[in-house]
């Protein structure tokens, strides 16, 4: 079998972000950790970590990490069957889209994590990047809008999140006094999550507008809402994230009645052990609207 | 002088995240955009973009982008002096730490952005990574906790954000019924922003605890608060982000009276034009507590 001491050192270096801290976490000296990484690289004949621009696993390193995490998950099931084995908190690395993380995610999986003593290593990624991380073995599961499972994994539909085109009342008054006229859409600053964000484009297309428009880029869910609340632009915001602001009239729709629905899917490896099954069950019980 | 059509194409490809969309934004065909990028690479004798794993500028590409952005800022001042030059919304790329973006940032700079019609390209980075982006010329300014200016830039102190060790009352009762005992700190799951987050370690050190502890990793401000609210762990949260939850007793301190203060600094290039000056003035007027 593999020498799991070496894989444990690799996991610690990546999770702790450095050799010194990995040593602290494992109760080893920094040079002992380096030694283990070196052994791993000598056996493989290639590096498992790159040092610049930042410490990160190589593709081979990522495969080893993924393997180590899956073994850890299986070990957890074993520990439950054999409680005299000392137990430590199982760690689950999961890619979650930013808007779910900012809204319903923690409520849905919190009870299970509390009961099972699971700790999560959350990676914030939307769509394709999250799935690529799953395929590369960097995460054990992925929550995103893509329905297409990667090979060896399955995709469970969880429902839909509803996005509304929102701004402050003052912003709507200033930029759209006569509604969504083409000239107004050309000039009104929007807020867009990132260069790959399709929601703003889908909204404009649904208005019949295909031209250019000024936009803020803000790749953080809460910051996105704050920009809208500061009157800096209008943007597609999940209804459930701003229910209070909608009730209090701090945010209003610039196109009342119009909403975009984004489906969400939970992607996980088959045969990843009981914990992933339980998490999948907890998510399956969520009813998104 | 440089051929700015080529730099404009490079800027568009990076900002739009692809050749096709860059073409749409510039009113060019995709092949015309590719042609311009190729011309740039032929002149330089090296690539300005990498295509895998994702489309991104090379270090040389980043230098060109930075130059193009600084020229755009200077052009903006020129356009104000010569209003007959057609104007377009100036775009400012800025690195902001996640917690500021989730709290006070938009309120502070919103009025100026509205008045001047500025759109922002926000990059969420903490600490050293934001400053590295400034040094590499990837952003025009950076808001972070580091006081040390990079060469050619200046650092303006903006005050401090106050972080409290917070959890739900039920979590505190379950994990710390007798206060912050060593054994409790060893077992209670914490929430940590990322592997380079120092706040949790500083808090534990201030409690005299230096051992291992289980923790969730959650690199998103709002998600971090949601994990705490779901009772999944305790974590260092900016007081200003959760004032409502503190008032309503949904979150409580596990170490009443204890807070960590994190200073914030605004780093910007000298001689970057009037807009950066105005933004600096707007931020200088903020009083963080």
């Amino acid at each position: 079998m593999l020498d799991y001491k070496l894989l444990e050192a690799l996991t610690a270096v990546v999770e702790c972000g450095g050799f010194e801290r990995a040593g602290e976490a494992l109760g080893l000296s920094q040079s002992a950790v380096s030694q283990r990484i070196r052994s791993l690289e000598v056996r493989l004949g290639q590096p498992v970590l790159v040092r610049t621009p930042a410490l990160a696993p190589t593709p081979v390193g990522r495969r080893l990490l993924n393997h180590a995490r899956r073994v850890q998950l299986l070990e957890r099931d074993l520990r439950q069957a054999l409680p005299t084995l000392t137990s430590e908190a199982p760690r689950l690395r999961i890619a979650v889209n930013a808007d779910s993380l900012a809204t319903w995610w923690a409520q849905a999986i919190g009870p299970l994590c509390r009961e099972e003593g699971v700790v999560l290593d959350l990676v914030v990624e939307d769509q394709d990047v999250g799935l690529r991380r799953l395929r590369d073995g960097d995460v054990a599961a992925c929550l995103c809008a893509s329905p297409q499972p990667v090979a060896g994994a399955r995709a469970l539909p969880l429902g839909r999140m509803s996005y509304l085109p929102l701004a402050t009342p003052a912003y709507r008054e200033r930029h759209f006094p006569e509604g969504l006229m083409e000239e107004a859409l050309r000039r009104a600053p929007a807020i867009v999550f990132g260069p790959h964000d399709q929601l703003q484009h889908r909204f404009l297309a649904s208005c019949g507008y295909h031209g250019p428009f000024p936009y803020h880029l803000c790749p953080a869910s809460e910051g996105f809402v704050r920009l809208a609340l500061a009157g800096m632009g209008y943007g597609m915001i999940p209804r459930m994230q701003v229910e209070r602001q909608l009730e209090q009239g701090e945010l209003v729709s610039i196109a009342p009645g119009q909403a975009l629905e984004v489906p969400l899917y939970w992607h996980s490896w088959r045969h990843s052990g009981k914990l992933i099954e339980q998490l999948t069950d907890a998510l399956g019980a969520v009813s998104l609207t």
Side-chain angles (χ1 to χ4, degrees), chain A:
Chain A
M1 283 189 78
L2 287 173
D3 183 346
Y4 283 94
K5 289 275 173 257
L6 308 186
L7 293 192
E8 190 180 42
L10 176 63
T11 307
V13 169
V14 171
E15 284 183 354
C16 302
F19 287 77
E20 193 178 336
R21 280 196 223 144
E24 283 170 22
L26 295 174
L28 293 172
S29 71
Q30 184 177 343
S31 79
V33 175
S34 302
Q35 183 63 48
R36 290 182 182 189
I37 300 296
R38 233 179 352 258
S39 301
L40 205 51
E41 293 182 330
V42 167
R43 282 182 201 203
L44 285 162
Q46 58 181 297
V48 295
L49 290 170
V50 288
R51 274 73 174 178
T52 52
L55 192 66
T58 60
V60 168
R62 272 206 300 275
R63 298 215 156 229
L64 291 175
L65 280 173
N66 176 44
H67 173 75
R69 285 192 183 110
R70 294 178 79 174
V71 170
Q72 282 164 351
L73 281 177
L74 295 176
E75 272 185 20
R76 181 180 164 278
D77 294 351
L78 178 69
R79 282 176 207 281
Q80 289 195 326
L82 300 172
T84 47
L85 279 173
T86 62
S87 80
E88 45 191 53
R91 174 168 286 276
L92 218 44
R93 187 165 162 91
I94 299 175
V96 179
N97 71 312
D99 289 336
S100 291
L101 191 55
T103 53
W104 60 273
W105 166 259
Q107 283 297 337
I109 50 83
L112 177 68
C113 292
R114 289 198 305 265
E115 281 157 32
E116 301 286 325
V118 182
V119 292
L120 301 182
D121 185 352
L122 297 170
V123 179
V124 185
E125 293 289 11
D126 281 327
Q127 202 80 345
D128 302 335
V129 184
L131 278 185
R132 201 183 314 137
R133 282 185 185 258
L134 183 68
R135 193 166 36 230
D136 290 351
D138 182 35
V139 296
C142 163
L143 177 69
C144 72
S146 169
Q148 196 58 49
V150 306
R154 65 203 159 162
L156 175 73
L158 298 183
R160 293 159 177 278
M161 281 175 85
S162 189
Y163 285 76
L164 306 179
L166 301 179
T168 60
Y171 179 96
R172 184 174 64 177
E173 184 55 39
R174 175 176 171 191
H175 290 278
F176 300 111
E178 289 159 49
L180 305 186
M181 316 301 281
E182 183 168 332
E183 192 49 32
L185 289 169
R186 185 189 309 284
R187 291 165 175 277
I191 313 170
V192 172
F193 195 83
H196 302 290
D197 181 7
Q198 290 302 324
L199 281 174
Q200 175 66 21
H201 292 278
R202 275 175 59 193
F203 169 71
L204 288 173
S206 78
C207 299
Y209 182 77
H210 299 275
F213 60 95
Y215 57 90
H216 301 279
L217 278 174
C218 181
S221 291
E222 184 61 16
F224 193 110
V225 173
R226 300 266 166 179
L227 259 58
L229 284 168
M232 292 169 65
Y234 73 100
M236 301 304 294
I237 300 178
R239 184 203 303 267
M240 64 167 73
Q241 194 176 357
V242 290
E243 265 169 14
R244 192 167 52 83
Q245 291 88 342
L246 287 170
E247 245 170 56
Q248 299 179 354
E250 291 173 42
L251 290 175
V252 293
S253 174
I254 63 161
Q258 229 174 303
L260 291 179
E261 304 292 330
V262 174
L264 285 176
Y265 296 85
W266 171 246
H267 299 259
S268 61
W269 295 111
R270 296 169 194 281
H271 318 302
S272 292
K274 211 170 109 199
L275 190 57
I276 290 278
E277 294 302 329
Q278 287 172 301
L279 209 52
T280 303
D281 290 346
L283 290 170
V286 168
S287 67
L288 292 177
T289 47

